[in-house]
Amino acid sequence: MDGDRVEILPTNPTNSMNPINPTNPTNPTKLVLSPAPHLRGKASIDRDMYIVVLALLFPAAGGVYFFGLYALLMLATAVACAVLTEYVTKSMRRRPFCMDGSAIVTGMLFALVMPPRSPLWIVAVGSIFCIAIGKEAFGGLGQNIFNPALAGRAFVAVSFAGALTRFITPTAGALMADGVTAATPLADGFATYRALFLGNVAGSMGETSALLILIGGAILLAFGLIKWQMPVFYIGTVAVLGLLLGEDPFFHVLAGGLMLGAFFMATDYVTSPLTTPGKIVFAVGAGILVILIRLWGVLPEGVAFSILLMNAVTPLIDRYIRPRPYGHVKRGRKEAAS
Amino acid sequence: MSNLIAIFFSMALINNLVLVNFLGLCPFFGVSKKLSSAFSMGVAVLLVMLVASAVTWPIFHMLLEPHGMEFMRTVIFILVIASLVQIIEMTIKRTNLTLYNALGIYLPLITTNCAILGVAFINIDKTYGFLESLVAALGAGAGFTLVLIIMSGIRERLDLADTPQAFMGTPISLIVATLLGLAFLGFGGMI
């Protein structure tokens, strides 16, 4: 044992004057760990992400049911490209690659917000953009500012605008059938509530069926992955504003990508505020932006842009809306000065 | 009135100087590292834009245009804006030292900035009236301040991120600006 101790003593000449004392309480490298027993939770990134994948299978299955096997091909392309890109970027950075499922979630979400007959190469390019630029360039999971799937969606929407405006009518159940080109309900403004709720309308692949998205959202809520405030305030703001502005609130809630965005995208841990009041601010702001873009913008749908814009102000929301420390009574004046 | 509101929001959001017109990128990347300095910079830009628009509009429409000397506008505008801002700076320094310290280095920095000159030109090119020019300058300044504050918030968070070595600093800021520009496209066509 004595031989070992000699080796522990610093041999580096720069440190020999000031040897590190492990018993020195001021040593900042020392971690304080309370004694056992520790309570171990089941939560982990892998578990959470695969639950999201499970929840996403419902809108994905709806996409395949309504728009045929081509939708499945799109999903597979997007997920494969996302995972592959993550693997390549991680190896380029010499970081460990782990199948934590986050790339699968991004790939699935990206495919679900695409029009159901998008060319596969655009799906591939967009999916690579999602991971490479939207996530890994920032440093990987947890570091990105914008929702990767939506960043990719905005990228392909701007880059390949012509190829991505071809929406088709659903061909429910007929897996190999070719759909007929049609405008989304948001563009021509007509569809029955029943069709909008079940998903039997033209639109992006995974956005049409409110019912299936609600099932997926219920799974997320049941496992405690998302807070109910986010979707409720987001959808509620759109409905209330729609009503006040003389629009049909049910139509604005059910049509387009609002449901999918509210349950699966706005609630993204990384790009939404940390605190519950912050999440409410985020959700209300996004709801206002959706109505603004839908009613006055040149684009028919504003969910993706509304969430991206609120992603951008999330650091500011987190800066000003902070959790109140336990026992905190009154806001001190010093806080404002920083 | 609704025309003025339309001009304000058009300049602030839809035709945002930084994200849509790519003007004023140098202060956008240079002074967006901290929120406090970003805010000071934004206010200084807003003030200078207002003053510059208020001065260049009469010069162009009452001096250059009647004499057929529109081609001189670039030289004249730069000269007038720069010297005027210097005079303002000296006046503020004499009269209100607190304000001077708050605006600090930002005021002289932006006197020859392309965003300031750009707004003066946009006002002329879009044949805005005097009041419209002022509102346009106000909107452009407000939009600039907004984007600068958003950017500084993001960059303060990025300081903590495990960004790849090659992307640290300006490269990742350019990527953020790109994605922010994509997001601002959502405002397209509102007015």
Side-chain angles (χ1 to χ4, degrees):
Chain A
M1 285 304 286
D2 274 350
D4 286 345
R5 287 195 78 85
V6 171
E7 279 182 2
I8 288 168
L9 283 173
T11 53
N12 190 341
T14 53
N15 273 352
S16 60
M17 295 299 289
N18 186 17
I20 299 163
N21 181 3
T23 56
N24 181 3
T26 57
N27 190 345
T29 57
K30 228 178 136 183
L31 292 172
V32 178
L33 192 66
S34 59
H38 299 288
L39 199 63
R40 273 184 66 95
K42 268 183 279 180
S44 73
I45 293 176
D46 298 33
R47 176 178 170 270
D48 286 7
M49 285 300 170
Y50 286 112
I51 291 171
V52 178
V53 169
L54 176 75
L56 275 175
L57 283 178
F58 288 92
V64 176
Y65 175 74
F66 288 118
F67 300 110
L69 280 178
Y70 189 82
L72 194 63
L73 211 57
M74 277 170 60
L75 268 168
T77 309
V79 171
C81 285
V83 174
L84 205 66
T85 311
E86 174 135 322
Y87 178 75
V88 170
T89 47
K90 285 283 186 219
S91 356
M92 277 164 75
R93 295 186 62 202
R94 301 182 203 293
R95 296 288 158 99
F97 168 77
C98 48
M99 276 299 287
D100 58 13
S102 64
I104 302 176
V105 169
T106 301
M108 283 182 86
L109 276 175
F110 177 71
L112 291 180
V113 293
M114 294 289 279
R117 283 290 181 276
S118 309
L120 286 182
W121 66 272
I122 293 183
V123 177
V125 168
S127 184
I128 291 170
F129 183 93
C130 289
I131 298 292
I133 306 294
K135 197 171 84 173
E136 290 300 320
F138 289 88
L141 183 65
Q143 326 272 352
N144 48 304
I145 301 291
F146 299 94
N147 186 314
L150 288 178
R153 182 67 179 96
F155 166 72
V156 293
V158 171
S159 308
F160 314 108
L164 295 181
T165 44
R166 197 172 153 242
F167 289 95
I168 54 163
T169 52
T171 50
L175 289 181
M176 299 304 286
D178 273 336
V180 182
T181 310
T184 73
L186 271 176
D188 63 10
F190 179 75
T192 61
Y193 291 151
R194 190 165 173 276
L196 281 171
F197 185 71
L198 293 176
N200 206 6
V201 289
S204 290
M205 192 171 124
E207 293 178 346
T208 56
S209 171
L211 176 68
L212 291 170
I213 295 168
L214 280 175
I215 295 174
I219 292 175
L220 295 184
L221 281 169
F223 280 98
L225 292 194
I226 63 173
K227 288 231 159 83
W228 61 267
Q229 284 94 339
M230 188 69 109
V232 166
F233 275 87
Y234 191 5
I235 295 170
T237 306
V238 171
V240 169
L241 271 181
L243 193 67
L244 289 178
L245 291 167
E247 296 279 320
D248 179 353
F250 292 109
F251 176 75
H252 272 283
V253 168
L254 293 173
L258 181 64
M259 297 291 265
L260 192 72
F263 280 101
F264 287 96
M265 301 205 189
T267 51
D268 179 12
Y269 289 155
V270 181
T271 55
S272 66
L274 296 169
T275 59
T276 306
K279 285 183 202 298
I280 293 173
V281 171
F282 182 107
V284 171
I288 293 171
L289 285 169
V290 167
I291 286 288
L292 277 177
I293 293 171
R294 278 189 184 173
L295 295 188
W296 285 289
V298 70
L299 302 158
E301 174 60 308
V303 168
F305 291 102
S306 78
I307 297 176
L308 279 175
L309 284 166
M310 292 313 287
N311 284 163
V313 295
T314 294
L316 292 175
I317 296 177
D318 272 339
R319 191 189 169 96
Y320 290 110
I321 300 178
R322 294 187 176 172
R324 206 164 55 149
Y326 181 69
H328 187 90
V329 184
K330 207 176 170 187
R331 181 174 284 244
R333 283 209 167 257
K334 268 186 185 174
E335 223 176 57
S338 68
Chain B
M1 189 61 203
S2 65
N3 178 33
L4 293 181
I5 295 172
I7 289 176
F8 179 87
F9 282 106
S10 158
M11 291 297 274
L13 300 175
I14 300 149
N15 295 311
N16 188 283
L17 276 184
V18 178
L19 296 177
V20 181
N21 289 321
F22 305 116
L23 291 171
L25 291 178
C26 148
F28 178 67
F29 288 113
V31 204
S32 59
K33 286 202 188 82
K34 268 182 63 193
L35 188 69
S36 50
S37 51
F39 184 73
S40 304
M41 185 64 170
V43 173
V45 166
L46 192 117
L47 284 178
V48 175
M49 265 177 196
L50 260 183
V51 171
S53 299
V55 171
T56 53
W57 192 89
I59 287 179
F60 185 83
H61 287 286
M62 292 170 186
L63 200 68
L64 296 182
E65 219 172 28
H67 295 88
M69 296 208 300
E70 287 93 342
F71 60 88
M72 286 289 282
R73 67 178 191 176
T74 311
V75 179
I76 302 271
F77 279 14
I78 292 178
L79 200 67
V80 168
I81 295 171
S83 46
L84 187 80
V85 173
Q86 289 300 316
I87 296 171
I88 293 177
E89 197 203 349
M90 284 188 271
T91 321
I92 293 178
K93 195 176 178 182
R94 288 281 175 197
T95 54
N96 191 340
L97 204 62
T98 333
L99 183 65
Y100 177 78
N101 286 332
L103 294 178
I105 189 164
Y106 306 118
L107 211 51
L109 256 183
I110 50 176
T111 48
T112 51
N113 191 278
C114 60
I116 312 288
L117 196 65
V119 171
F121 283 169
I122 289 171
N123 287 338
I124 304 294
D125 291 342
K126 292 201 172 170
T127 64
Y128 285 154
F130 184 66
L131 191 62
E132 288 169 333
S133 296
L134 289 187
V135 173
L138 205 65
F144 182 85
T145 312
L146 175 77
V147 171
L148 205 60
I149 289 176
I150 290 177
M151 188 68 175
S152 64
I154 292 175
R155 284 184 75 171
E156 282 186 5
R157 216 191 98 173
L158 282 180
D159 284 344
L160 306 171
D162 174 34
T163 314
Q165 189 93 50
F167 284 101
M168 267 182 199
T170 311
I172 194 69
S173 306
L174 284 165
I175 290 177
V176 170
T178 310
L179 295 175
L180 207 52
L182 279 178
F184 263 65
L185 282 176
F187 290 119
M190 267 193 201
I191 292 165

